[in-house]
Amino acid sequence: MYDAGRLVVGFDLDMTLVDSRKGIVGCMQRVLDARGVAATDEQLWPLIGAPLLDNLALFLPDDQVESAAADYRADYLVQAIEMTVLLPGARELVDAIHDADGTVLVVSAKNPTAVKAVLEHVGINPDIVVGDLFGHDKATPLQEHRATAYIGDHSGDMHAANTAGVRAIGVATGPTDPEALREAGADLVVDDLGDLVSRLDELTAV
C-alpha cells in the first residue's frame, strides 16, 4: 500500500500528457519557412520535447535563432493551443493521483506561459508547473519538490529521473521507442498513461 504523503508524481508535457505534435510542427515550419528554410514533418517530429533553441539551431544560423524562437512562441500561443489534445489515460491518471491525496508536478522544456496555456486548454490542473528545463536540468525541481517518480516520453526524461534519484517511467506515446527509453534508464515503460492508473504503488518512493 502506498503512502499518499509520498506520492509526488512528475510529468513531462509534450507527447506525455498531451499530443502537441501538429501544433509544434506547424509552428516550426512557419517560422523556418519565413527564413527560407524548409523542414519536413519527418525531420521535426523526432525533435519534439527538446529545447526550442537547440531545435532551431539545427536549421538556422546562430544570429537568427533568438528571433525565430520569439516568433515561434508568439505563433504557438495563437495557432497551436487549440490543436493540442490529451493523450489516452492522462486525465484518469492525474485524477487518480489527486484522489489519493498525491501531488502532480509538470516539468517541461516548453516555456511556462505555454505550459500553463496548454494545461488550461486541456483541463489538467497540476499542483506545480515548471518550464524551460530539459534533460538532467529537470532533476532540480524533481528533487526540490520531493518527487517520487517522473513520467516522460523522451530519453532526457529518463536521465532527469535517474539524476534526481526517483522512479523513471517511460511512456511510448512520443518519438522515443520503448527500447530506447529502457536504455536511457527507465524502470518501467508503459504504452500509455492509462496503464498506470491502477499502479500508483509503483509511482511512490523507492
Side-chain angles (χ1 to χ4, degrees):
M1 185 65 179
Y2 59 85
D3 174 3
R6 289 296 296 129
L7 181 62
V8 183
V9 183
F11 291 87
D12 174 50
L13 179 66
D14 292 318
M15 304 314 302
T16 296
L17 284 170
V18 300
D19 186 342
S20 49
R21 77 187 91 185
K22 289 176 66 176
I24 289 173
V25 169
C27 288
M28 284 286 288
Q29 287 173 331
R30 284 189 292 275
V31 166
L32 293 173
D33 184 67
R35 290 160 175 80
V37 177
T40 65
D41 292 4
E42 291 73 21
Q43 287 176 294
L44 296 173
W45 161 236
L47 305 179
I48 292 177
L52 175 61
L53 294 177
D54 291 352
N55 288 344
L56 289 169
L58 296 173
F59 299 93
L60 298 172
D62 291 346
D63 61 355
Q64 294 185 25
V65 169
E66 289 288 347
S67 66
D71 289 349
Y72 173 94
R73 292 183 178 120
D75 189 52
Y76 187 92
L77 293 174
V78 175
Q79 302 287 346
I81 303 297
E82 294 297 320
M83 303 172 69
T84 304
V85 297
L86 281 173
L87 282 164
R91 188 182 308 283
E92 292 80 2
L93 181 55
V94 169
D95 287 348
I97 294 166
H98 280 151
D99 289 346
D101 294 324
T103 299
V104 173
L105 165 67
V106 174
V107 185
S108 172
K110 194 185 296 296
N111 76 89
T113 298
V115 174
K116 292 173 183 177
V118 167
L119 292 170
E120 181 178 357
H121 169 66
V122 298
I124 292 290
N125 298 302
D127 301 286
I128 303 160
V129 172
V130 181
D132 284 332
L133 295 176
F134 178 72
H136 296 287
D137 291 337
K138 291 183 174 185
T140 299
L142 295 177
Q143 292 171 324
E144 288 176 349
H145 296 288
R146 300 181 69 234
T148 55
Y150 187 58
I151 305 171
D153 69 287
H154 196 284
S155 296
D157 299 323
M158 303 304 98
H159 297 155
N162 289 320
T163 300
V166 306
R167 293 217 69 191
I169 312 296
V171 60
T173 45
T176 307
D177 64 59
E179 186 55 36
L181 290 169
R182 293 186 187 95
E183 289 176 358
D187 297 302
L188 172 68
V189 178
V190 295
D191 291 333
D192 63 58
L193 296 179
D195 293 342
L196 296 170
V197 172
S198 62
R199 303 168 72 175
L200 296 187
D201 59 318
E202 297 184 56
L203 304 180
T204 56
V206 294

